Amino acid sequence: MPVSDFQMVEAWTKVLKLSRLEPRQNVTILTSSATHPQTLATALIATQSMGAVVNRLDLPPVNGEKALSRDSLAYLGTTPLTGNRAAIAALKESDLVLDLMTLLFSPEQLDILKTGTKILLAVEPPEVLTRLVPTEADRERVLAARARIARAKEMRIVSGAGTDFRCPLGEFEPIAEYGYVDEPGRWDHWPSGFALTFPNEGGAHGRIVIDRGDILLPQKCYVNAPIALTVEQGFATRIEGAIDAQLLSEYMASFNDPEAYAISHIGWGLQPRAHWSTLGLYDREATIGMDARAFEGNFLFSLGPNNEAGGKRTTTCHIDIPLRHCDVYLDGEAVVRNGVVLDR
Ligand SMILES: [Fe+2]
């Protein structure tokens, strides 16, 4: 159901206050052809009402002819900022960038963050944004999970469906996504609510069974027949199963890139206001599936790049897969059991 402009202005104001926006700071709102008009209009009002100096930077879309879907996270690599010195300069000079376009996983984003600019991605539809306005409690919970990951040398994931998967840790810093940007140089995504890291390069191994009811993104579908992934030396080397496995396999093969099969981020959902069932209620083009990524207790893993964490892999393929009913262990200690987070 729609939300009012007033509700969206209130939601933006909460997020901007949590992000410590101060009067006279420079905000640049980054837009493209798929930006939601209500999200943009209300961001303009909220930022100006807080006394910020506000710009809007609208960039033409890229890669539409290469991607097989309209999802903004489905095809990575170049962005409208690639080679765009004028736009990069404007963003580097901003205190805060509201990314209503999707810059994720681009080297330009990392360069801009290094200057101290904060970047907040917000591309879900307004009613999802208003339901999932972040809180300080979200932050504390996600930061605690990140600190727990930072102390661990191994993440192991086991499930009744047949998953038994091990990832050595330590090469890459863990990341907390809690939905706002309260530190200089911080990137985050509203909405979110999860902690993640990346396995040591070449170290992930075992078997992952994507069970009936688990979700594939950007396909934005619930799996109907289990898909078994064999993971060796950091890569999915076999994708086995019935029709869902064939669909996943064929889609990944279309990128013609061995790096597409690398294990990317791993972590678990910590957002109680996100729901596993939401995806089934939405038109696939109306959402990027943040409920599916963030719902509490899911084990979220990804296939594709690790440059977000400072790794070398930059494949354009990016698949996120939240699994239900997993046990997640850090150095043998359970942090999630059968899809229930054990931090309370
Ligand atoms: Fe991902």
Side-chain angles (χ1 to χ4, degrees):
M1 301 221 303
V3 292
S4 71
D5 289 353
F6 174 71
Q7 287 172 293
M8 270 299 285
V9 169
E10 276 203 323
W12 269 119
T13 304
K14 280 183 194 161
V15 171
L16 294 168
K17 281 184 177 162
L18 287 168
S19 300
R20 302 183 187 174
L21 179 63
E22 301 288 338
R24 293 180 296 286
Q25 284 191 330
N26 262 263
V27 177
T28 300
I29 303 177
L30 192 55
T31 62
S32 191
S33 52
T35 294
H36 196 289
Q38 189 181 25
T39 305
L40 170 61
T42 53
L44 283 164
I45 293 169
T47 47
Q48 289 176 88
S49 71
M50 290 175 71
V53 178
V54 184
N55 309 293
R56 176 181 166 186
L57 179 57
D58 188 61
L59 299 175
V62 295
N63 293 327
E65 79 290 2
K66 297 182 191 135
L68 297 189
S69 95
R70 294 168 63 90
D71 187 289
S72 65
L73 296 175
Y75 193 96
L76 307 176
T78 55
T79 75
L81 286 186
T82 308
N84 190 340
R85 286 180 290 112
I88 292 169
L91 300 183
K92 284 182 173 175
E93 283 298 316
S94 305
D95 298 293
L96 173 64
V97 173
L98 302 179
D99 176 5
L100 311 188
M101 181 190 87
T102 310
L103 282 179
L104 189 55
F105 289 98
S106 66
E108 294 81 15
Q109 172 167 293
L110 296 174
D111 273 357
I112 293 161
L113 292 170
K114 276 187 204 146
T115 68
T117 299
K118 303 168 176 178
I119 302 180
L120 183 65
L121 174 65
V123 292
E124 282 287 36
E127 69 282 3
V128 175
L129 295 176
T130 49
R131 172 165 49 84
L132 291 170
V133 171
T135 66
E136 286 179 48
D138 290 344
R139 174 179 177 274
E140 282 168 27
R141 195 177 186 202
V142 174
L143 286 180
R146 182 179 72 175
R148 184 66 193 81
I149 295 172
R151 296 196 300 274
K153 292 192 167 55
E154 185 198 61
M155 189 184 295
R156 181 184 179 205
I157 301 90
V158 178
S159 77
T163 295
D164 191 347
F165 176 51
R166 290 174 185 266
C167 298
L169 305 179
E171 189 174 336
F172 301 105
E173 292 289 317
I175 295 173
E177 292 190 22
Y178 46 77
Y180 58 94
V181 284
D182 52 336
E183 306 279 348
R186 178 171 172 76
W187 176 90
D188 210 319
H189 188 175
W190 171 28
S192 50
F194 41 82
L196 60 123
T197 190
F198 292 74
N200 295 352
E201 193 65 69
H205 65 279
R207 179 178 163 86
I208 301 172
V209 178
I210 306 165
D211 202 8
R212 187 178 160 87
D214 293 333
I215 292 170
L216 300 179
L217 301 163
Q219 286 79 357
K220 295 173 200 152
C221 65
Y222 296 91
V223 166
N224 273 302
I227 304 170
L229 301 185
T230 302
V231 180
E232 300 170 293
Q233 297 180 356
F235 286 80
T237 51
R238 283 205 298 274
I239 300 175
E240 295 167 303
I243 185 69
D244 290 321
Q246 292 167 28
L247 284 164
L248 177 63
S249 246
E250 205 270 351
Y251 174 73
M252 293 187 71
S254 75
F255 288 83
N256 198 22
D257 181 357
E259 294 200 331
Y261 298 88
I263 300 296
S264 177
H265 55 81
I266 50 170
W268 65 95
L270 290 158
Q271 179 50 269
R273 299 184 301 289
H275 295 284
W276 167 70
S277 59
T278 306
L279 192 70
L281 304 167
Y282 263 79
D283 181 279
R284 276 196 278 191
E285 298 209 347
T287 175
I288 58 164
M290 290 310 291
D291 272 271
R293 288 180 176 89
F295 75 85
E296 190 167 339
N298 87 77
F299 169 67
L300 175 64
F301 79 100
S302 178
L303 297 163
N306 65 357
N307 59 324
E308 184 192 358
K312 293 193 184 74
R313 276 184 283 103
T314 56
T315 177
T316 55
C317 184
H318 174 229
I319 311 233
D320 280 349
I321 307 179
L323 305 180
R324 293 191 302 160
H325 307 313
C326 289
D327 300 338
V328 180
Y329 297 92
L330 293 173
D331 295 340
E333 183 190 335
V335 289
V336 176
R337 195 180 293 284
N338 194 22
V340 177
V341 183
L342 301 178
D343 61 350
R344 291 173 189 262

mmCIF file of all heavy atoms in Angstrom, residues 169-205:
data_model
loop_
_atom_site.group_PDB
_atom_site.id
_atom_site.type_symbol
_atom_site.label_atom_id
_atom_site.label_comp_id
_atom_site.label_asym_id
_atom_site.label_seq_id
_atom_site.Cartn_x
_atom_site.Cartn_y
_atom_site.Cartn_z
ATOM 1 N N LEU A 169 38.368 -17.464 7.906
ATOM 2 C CA LEU A 169 38.198 -16.005 7.981
ATOM 3 C C LEU A 169 39.491 -15.335 8.418
ATOM 4 O O LEU A 169 40.372 -15.975 8.980
ATOM 5 C CB LEU A 169 37.103 -15.649 8.995
ATOM 6 C CG LEU A 169 35.735 -16.278 8.805
ATOM 7 C CD1 LEU A 169 34.792 -15.819 9.919
ATOM 8 C CD2 LEU A 169 35.146 -15.935 7.447
ATOM 9 N N GLY A 170 39.556 -14.040 8.209
ATOM 10 C CA GLY A 170 40.676 -13.251 8.708
ATOM 11 C C GLY A 170 41.316 -12.365 7.657
ATOM 12 O O GLY A 170 41.930 -11.359 7.972
ATOM 13 N N GLU A 171 41.183 -12.764 6.378
ATOM 14 C CA GLU A 171 41.817 -11.984 5.315
ATOM 15 C C GLU A 171 41.082 -10.661 5.077
ATOM 16 O O GLU A 171 41.690 -9.648 4.744
ATOM 17 C CB GLU A 171 41.827 -12.822 4.035
ATOM 18 C CG GLU A 171 42.646 -12.227 2.920
ATOM 19 C CD GLU A 171 42.729 -13.174 1.715
ATOM 20 O OE1 GLU A 171 42.574 -14.405 1.877
ATOM 21 O OE2 GLU A 171 42.928 -12.660 0.605
ATOM 22 N N PHE A 172 39.756 -10.672 5.258
ATOM 23 C CA PHE A 172 38.947 -9.479 4.968
ATOM 24 C C PHE A 172 38.230 -9.008 6.227
ATOM 25 O O PHE A 172 37.812 -9.818 7.055
ATOM 26 C CB PHE A 172 37.925 -9.782 3.868
ATOM 27 C CG PHE A 172 38.559 -10.239 2.585
ATOM 28 C CD1 PHE A 172 38.521 -11.574 2.214
ATOM 29 C CD2 PHE A 172 39.223 -9.332 1.769
ATOM 30 C CE1 PHE A 172 39.122 -11.999 1.043
ATOM 31 C CE2 PHE A 172 39.830 -9.747 0.598
ATOM 32 C CZ PHE A 172 39.791 -11.083 0.225
ATOM 33 N N GLU A 173 38.098 -7.685 6.335
ATOM 34 C CA GLU A 173 37.400 -7.101 7.490
ATOM 35 C C GLU A 173 35.905 -7.423 7.414
ATOM 36 O O GLU A 173 35.312 -7.327 6.339
ATOM 37 C CB GLU A 173 37.551 -5.573 7.460
ATOM 38 C CG GLU A 173 38.955 -5.068 7.697
ATOM 39 C CD GLU A 173 39.391 -5.260 9.145
ATOM 40 O OE1 GLU A 173 38.571 -4.986 10.039
ATOM 41 O OE2 GLU A 173 40.537 -5.697 9.362
ATOM 42 N N PRO A 174 35.282 -7.754 8.536
ATOM 43 C CA PRO A 174 33.818 -7.902 8.517
ATOM 44 C C PRO A 174 33.130 -6.548 8.347
ATOM 45 O O PRO A 174 33.713 -5.502 8.644
ATOM 46 C CB PRO A 174 33.504 -8.519 9.881
ATOM 47 C CG PRO A 174 34.671 -8.204 10.739
ATOM 48 C CD PRO A 174 35.855 -8.033 9.850
ATOM 49 N N ILE A 175 31.908 -6.592 7.874
ATOM 50 C CA ILE A 175 31.158 -5.373 7.540
ATOM 51 C C ILE A 175 29.808 -5.407 8.261
ATOM 52 O O ILE A 175 29.173 -6.468 8.331
ATOM 53 C CB ILE A 175 30.945 -5.277 6.008
ATOM 54 C CG1 ILE A 175 32.289 -5.109 5.293
ATOM 55 C CG2 ILE A 175 29.989 -4.139 5.646
ATOM 56 C CD1 ILE A 175 32.225 -5.179 3.777
ATOM 57 N N ALA A 176 29.395 -4.273 8.814
ATOM 58 C CA ALA A 176 28.083 -4.143 9.452
ATOM 59 C C ALA A 176 27.204 -3.250 8.599
ATOM 60 O O ALA A 176 27.591 -2.132 8.270
ATOM 61 C CB ALA A 176 28.252 -3.523 10.846
ATOM 62 N N GLU A 177 26.045 -3.750 8.213
ATOM 63 C CA GLU A 177 25.075 -2.920 7.487
ATOM 64 C C GLU A 177 23.867 -2.740 8.387
ATOM 65 O O GLU A 177 23.147 -3.697 8.664
ATOM 66 C CB GLU A 177 24.678 -3.574 6.163
ATOM 67 C CG GLU A 177 25.834 -3.602 5.182
ATOM 68 C CD GLU A 177 25.436 -4.028 3.771
ATOM 69 O OE1 GLU A 177 24.247 -3.915 3.419
ATOM 70 O OE2 GLU A 177 26.330 -4.492 3.037
ATOM 71 N N TYR A 178 23.667 -1.482 8.864
ATOM 72 C CA TYR A 178 22.540 -1.234 9.756
ATOM 73 C C TYR A 178 21.636 -0.111 9.264
ATOM 74 O O TYR A 178 20.692 0.271 9.942
ATOM 75 C CB TYR A 178 23.003 -0.979 11.191
ATOM 76 C CG TYR A 178 24.163 -0.024 11.358
ATOM 77 C CD1 TYR A 178 23.984 1.353 11.263
ATOM 78 C CD2 TYR A 178 25.452 -0.498 11.604
ATOM 79 C CE1 TYR A 178 25.047 2.234 11.430
ATOM 80 C CE2 TYR A 178 26.524 0.381 11.763
ATOM 81 C CZ TYR A 178 26.320 1.735 11.685
ATOM 82 O OH TYR A 178 27.377 2.605 11.844
ATOM 83 N N GLY A 179 21.896 0.433 8.088
ATOM 84 C CA GLY A 179 20.906 1.301 7.459
ATOM 85 C C GLY A 179 21.132 2.785 7.569
ATOM 86 O O GLY A 179 20.312 3.553 7.063
ATOM 87 N N TYR A 180 22.233 3.235 8.189
ATOM 88 C CA TYR A 180 22.533 4.664 8.175
ATOM 89 C C TYR A 180 24.036 4.899 8.274
ATOM 90 O O TYR A 180 24.801 3.957 8.519
ATOM 91 C CB TYR A 180 21.760 5.432 9.243
ATOM 92 C CG TYR A 180 21.941 5.020 10.685
ATOM 93 C CD1 TYR A 180 22.877 5.657 11.504
ATOM 94 C CD2 TYR A 180 21.155 4.033 11.255
ATOM 95 C CE1 TYR A 180 23.014 5.325 12.848
ATOM 96 C CE2 TYR A 180 21.283 3.684 12.600
ATOM 97 C CZ TYR A 180 22.215 4.328 13.387
ATOM 98 O OH TYR A 180 22.347 3.985 14.714
ATOM 99 N N VAL A 181 24.447 6.161 8.051
ATOM 100 C CA VAL A 181 25.876 6.466 7.893
ATOM 101 C C VAL A 181 26.282 7.510 8.933
ATOM 102 O O VAL A 181 26.186 8.709 8.681
ATOM 103 C CB VAL A 181 26.186 6.922 6.448
ATOM 104 C CG1 VAL A 181 26.209 5.719 5.515
ATOM 105 C CG2 VAL A 181 25.171 7.940 5.924
ATOM 106 N N ASP A 182 26.731 7.056 10.071
ATOM 107 C CA ASP A 182 27.025 7.953 11.183
ATOM 108 C C ASP A 182 28.514 8.271 11.320
ATOM 109 O O ASP A 182 28.901 8.953 12.264
ATOM 110 C CB ASP A 182 26.479 7.362 12.490
ATOM 111 C CG ASP A 182 26.927 5.929 12.713
ATOM 112 O OD1 ASP A 182 27.246 5.237 11.718
ATOM 113 O OD2 ASP A 182 26.966 5.487 13.869
ATOM 114 N N GLU A 183 29.333 7.768 10.405
ATOM 115 C CA GLU A 183 30.781 8.039 10.473
ATOM 116 C C GLU A 183 31.249 8.542 9.115
ATOM 117 O O GLU A 183 30.770 8.069 8.092
ATOM 118 C CB GLU A 183 31.564 6.746 10.761
ATOM 119 C CG GLU A 183 31.123 5.966 11.969
ATOM 120 C CD GLU A 183 31.695 6.526 13.250
ATOM 121 O OE1 GLU A 183 32.615 7.368 13.136
ATOM 122 O OE2 GLU A 183 31.219 6.163 14.337
ATOM 123 N N PRO A 184 32.240 9.439 9.089
ATOM 124 C CA PRO A 184 32.805 9.861 7.799
ATOM 125 C C PRO A 184 33.327 8.649 7.021
ATOM 126 O O PRO A 184 33.899 7.725 7.613
ATOM 127 C CB PRO A 184 33.967 10.781 8.203
ATOM 128 C CG PRO A 184 33.656 11.231 9.585
ATOM 129 C CD PRO A 184 32.876 10.112 10.230
ATOM 130 N N GLY A 185 33.114 8.651 5.725
ATOM 131 C CA GLY A 185 33.621 7.566 4.890
ATOM 132 C C GLY A 185 32.823 6.283 4.982
ATOM 133 O O GLY A 185 33.233 5.263 4.427
ATOM 134 N N ARG A 186 31.680 6.325 5.653
ATOM 135 C CA ARG A 186 30.884 5.101 5.800
ATOM 136 C C ARG A 186 29.893 4.954 4.645
ATOM 137 O O ARG A 186 29.272 5.915 4.226
ATOM 138 C CB ARG A 186 30.120 5.133 7.125
ATOM 139 C CG ARG A 186 29.230 3.924 7.324
ATOM 140 C CD ARG A 186 28.624 3.815 8.717
ATOM 141 N NE ARG A 186 27.662 2.746 8.737
ATOM 142 C CZ ARG A 186 27.970 1.452 8.778
ATOM 143 N NH1 ARG A 186 29.222 1.091 8.851
ATOM 144 N NH2 ARG A 186 27.045 0.514 8.749
ATOM 145 N N TRP A 187 29.760 3.723 4.159
ATOM 146 C CA TRP A 187 28.712 3.373 3.202
ATOM 147 C C TRP A 187 27.687 2.515 3.925
ATOM 148 O O TRP A 187 28.053 1.682 4.766
ATOM 149 C CB TRP A 187 29.314 2.559 2.042
ATOM 150 C CG TRP A 187 28.260 2.082 1.081
ATOM 151 C CD1 TRP A 187 27.813 2.737 -0.021
ATOM 152 C CD2 TRP A 187 27.515 0.856 1.150
ATOM 153 N NE1 TRP A 187 26.824 2.000 -0.639
ATOM 154 C CE2 TRP A 187 26.627 0.852 0.056
ATOM 155 C CE3 TRP A 187 27.488 -0.224 2.025
ATOM 156 C CZ2 TRP A 187 25.739 -0.199 -0.186
ATOM 157 C CZ3 TRP A 187 26.598 -1.275 1.793
ATOM 158 C CH2 TRP A 187 25.740 -1.255 0.694
ATOM 159 N N ASP A 188 26.421 2.706 3.637
ATOM 160 C CA ASP A 188 25.415 1.765 4.147
ATOM 161 C C ASP A 188 24.218 1.757 3.213
ATOM 162 O O ASP A 188 24.181 2.503 2.224
ATOM 163 C CB ASP A 188 25.004 2.111 5.591
ATOM 164 C CG ASP A 188 24.585 0.861 6.380
ATOM 165 O OD1 ASP A 188 23.881 -0.002 5.810
ATOM 166 O OD2 ASP A 188 24.950 0.755 7.557
ATOM 167 N N HIS A 189 23.292 0.887 3.533
ATOM 168 C CA HIS A 189 22.125 0.646 2.687
ATOM 169 C C HIS A 189 20.890 0.660 3.571
ATOM 170 O O HIS A 189 20.795 -0.143 4.509
ATOM 171 C CB HIS A 189 22.296 -0.727 2.007
ATOM 172 C CG HIS A 189 21.266 -1.021 0.967
ATOM 173 N ND1 HIS A 189 21.322 -2.148 0.192
ATOM 174 C CD2 HIS A 189 20.148 -0.354 0.579
ATOM 175 C CE1 HIS A 189 20.287 -2.154 -0.646
ATOM 176 N NE2 HIS A 189 19.568 -1.087 -0.412
ATOM 177 N N TRP A 190 19.986 1.602 3.297
ATOM 178 C CA TRP A 190 18.665 1.627 3.939
ATOM 179 C C TRP A 190 17.694 0.984 2.986
ATOM 180 O O TRP A 190 17.546 1.500 1.889
ATOM 181 C CB TRP A 190 18.281 3.082 4.232
ATOM 182 C CG TRP A 190 16.874 3.285 4.696
ATOM 183 C CD1 TRP A 190 16.066 2.415 5.380
ATOM 184 C CD2 TRP A 190 16.081 4.468 4.476
ATOM 185 N NE1 TRP A 190 14.837 2.976 5.610
ATOM 186 C CE2 TRP A 190 14.815 4.229 5.064
ATOM 187 C CE3 TRP A 190 16.312 5.700 3.829
ATOM 188 C CZ2 TRP A 190 13.783 5.184 5.027
ATOM 189 C CZ3 TRP A 190 15.293 6.644 3.800
ATOM 190 C CH2 TRP A 190 14.045 6.390 4.399
ATOM 191 N N PRO A 191 17.036 -0.108 3.305
ATOM 192 C CA PRO A 191 17.074 -0.818 4.580
ATOM 193 C C PRO A 191 18.086 -1.952 4.558
ATOM 194 O O PRO A 191 18.393 -2.506 3.515
ATOM 195 C CB PRO A 191 15.660 -1.410 4.647
ATOM 196 C CG PRO A 191 15.337 -1.744 3.210
ATOM 197 C CD PRO A 191 16.044 -0.706 2.378
ATOM 198 N N SER A 192 18.552 -2.302 5.756
ATOM 199 C CA SER A 192 19.368 -3.509 5.894
ATOM 200 C C SER A 192 19.288 -3.984 7.339
ATOM 201 O O SER A 192 18.285 -3.766 8.007
ATOM 202 C CB SER A 192 20.796 -3.289 5.404
ATOM 203 O OG SER A 192 21.351 -2.137 5.962
ATOM 204 N N GLY A 193 20.347 -4.573 7.832
ATOM 205 C CA GLY A 193 20.340 -5.178 9.159
ATOM 206 C C GLY A 193 20.971 -6.555 9.091
ATOM 207 O O GLY A 193 20.303 -7.575 9.261
ATOM 208 N N PHE A 194 22.281 -6.561 8.801
ATOM 209 C CA PHE A 194 23.012 -7.830 8.808
ATOM 210 C C PHE A 194 24.504 -7.577 8.931
ATOM 211 O O PHE A 194 24.981 -6.473 8.669
ATOM 212 C CB PHE A 194 22.721 -8.709 7.579
ATOM 213 C CG PHE A 194 22.630 -7.977 6.272
ATOM 214 C CD1 PHE A 194 23.765 -7.634 5.564
ATOM 215 C CD2 PHE A 194 21.391 -7.648 5.747
ATOM 216 C CE1 PHE A 194 23.674 -6.971 4.356
ATOM 217 C CE2 PHE A 194 21.288 -6.968 4.529
ATOM 218 C CZ PHE A 194 22.433 -6.633 3.837
ATOM 219 N N ALA A 195 25.202 -8.610 9.366
ATOM 220 C CA ALA A 195 26.661 -8.568 9.456
ATOM 221 C C ALA A 195 27.198 -9.567 8.448
ATOM 222 O O ALA A 195 26.597 -10.616 8.223
ATOM 223 C CB ALA A 195 27.116 -8.937 10.866
ATOM 224 N N LEU A 196 28.320 -9.222 7.847
ATOM 225 C CA LEU A 196 28.862 -10.096 6.814
ATOM 226 C C LEU A 196 30.375 -10.000 6.780
ATOM 227 O O LEU A 196 30.964 -9.072 7.323
ATOM 228 C CB LEU A 196 28.301 -9.693 5.441
ATOM 229 C CG LEU A 196 28.609 -8.272 4.992
ATOM 230 C CD1 LEU A 196 29.332 -8.282 3.659
ATOM 231 C CD2 LEU A 196 27.349 -7.450 4.896
ATOM 232 N N THR A 197 30.958 -10.980 6.134
ATOM 233 C CA THR A 197 32.383 -10.913 5.825
ATOM 234 C C THR A 197 32.603 -11.713 4.553
ATOM 235 O O THR A 197 31.636 -12.107 3.883
ATOM 236 C CB THR A 197 33.241 -11.414 7.005
ATOM 237 O OG1 THR A 197 34.614 -11.110 6.739
ATOM 238 C CG2 THR A 197 33.084 -12.911 7.239
ATOM 239 N N PHE A 198 33.875 -11.912 4.219
ATOM 240 C CA PHE A 198 34.207 -12.673 3.010
ATOM 241 C C PHE A 198 35.182 -13.776 3.406
ATOM 242 O O PHE A 198 36.077 -13.532 4.228
ATOM 243 C CB PHE A 198 34.855 -11.762 1.961
ATOM 244 C CG PHE A 198 33.929 -10.735 1.380
ATOM 245 C CD1 PHE A 198 33.556 -9.620 2.121
ATOM 246 C CD2 PHE A 198 33.412 -10.891 0.106
ATOM 247 C CE1 PHE A 198 32.689 -8.672 1.588
ATOM 248 C CE2 PHE A 198 32.545 -9.941 -0.435
ATOM 249 C CZ PHE A 198 32.180 -8.831 0.312
ATOM 250 N N PRO A 199 35.042 -14.973 2.850
ATOM 251 C CA PRO A 199 36.002 -16.032 3.174
ATOM 252 C C PRO A 199 37.396 -15.672 2.651
ATOM 253 O O PRO A 199 37.508 -14.960 1.649
ATOM 254 C CB PRO A 199 35.475 -17.263 2.435
ATOM 255 C CG PRO A 199 34.231 -16.874 1.740
ATOM 256 C CD PRO A 199 34.034 -15.393 1.863
ATOM 257 N N ASN A 200 38.409 -16.183 3.326
ATOM 258 C CA ASN A 200 39.767 -16.021 2.798
ATOM 259 C C ASN A 200 39.796 -16.513 1.354
ATOM 260 O O ASN A 200 39.174 -17.530 1.018
ATOM 261 C CB ASN A 200 40.764 -16.823 3.628
ATOM 262 C CG ASN A 200 40.862 -16.296 5.049
ATOM 263 O OD1 ASN A 200 40.307 -15.247 5.385
ATOM 264 N ND2 ASN A 200 41.564 -17.041 5.904
ATOM 265 N N GLU A 201 40.523 -15.800 0.524
ATOM 266 C CA GLU A 201 40.547 -16.116 -0.915
ATOM 267 C C GLU A 201 40.911 -17.586 -1.124
ATOM 268 O O GLU A 201 41.936 -18.051 -0.636
ATOM 269 C CB GLU A 201 41.567 -15.202 -1.600
ATOM 270 C CG GLU A 201 41.496 -15.179 -3.094
ATOM 271 C CD GLU A 201 40.195 -14.583 -3.625
ATOM 272 O OE1 GLU A 201 39.997 -13.391 -3.463
ATOM 273 O OE2 GLU A 201 39.393 -15.341 -4.208
ATOM 274 N N GLY A 202 40.056 -18.310 -1.839
ATOM 275 C CA GLY A 202 40.327 -19.706 -2.171
ATOM 276 C C GLY A 202 40.079 -20.685 -1.045
ATOM 277 O O GLY A 202 40.327 -21.882 -1.194
ATOM 278 N N GLY A 203 39.549 -20.228 0.093
ATOM 279 C CA GLY A 203 39.456 -21.106 1.256
ATOM 280 C C GLY A 203 38.105 -21.750 1.501
ATOM 281 O O GLY A 203 38.018 -22.766 2.208
ATOM 282 N N ALA A 204 37.022 -21.204 0.958
ATOM 283 C CA ALA A 204 35.688 -21.761 1.251
ATOM 284 C C ALA A 204 35.562 -23.157 0.647
ATOM 285 O O ALA A 204 35.983 -23.388 -0.492
ATOM 286 C CB ALA A 204 34.612 -20.836 0.689
ATOM 287 N N HIS A 205 34.976 -24.077 1.401
ATOM 288 C CA HIS A 205 34.797 -25.425 0.857
ATOM 289 C C HIS A 205 33.653 -26.148 1.555
ATOM 290 O O HIS A 205 33.298 -25.809 2.681
ATOM 291 C CB HIS A 205 36.095 -26.239 0.976
ATOM 292 C CG HIS A 205 36.495 -26.510 2.394
ATOM 293 N ND1 HIS A 205 37.148 -25.570 3.169
ATOM 294 C CD2 HIS A 205 36.322 -27.600 3.181
ATOM 295 C CE1 HIS A 205 37.380 -26.080 4.367
ATOM 296 N NE2 HIS A 205 36.885 -27.305 4.417
#
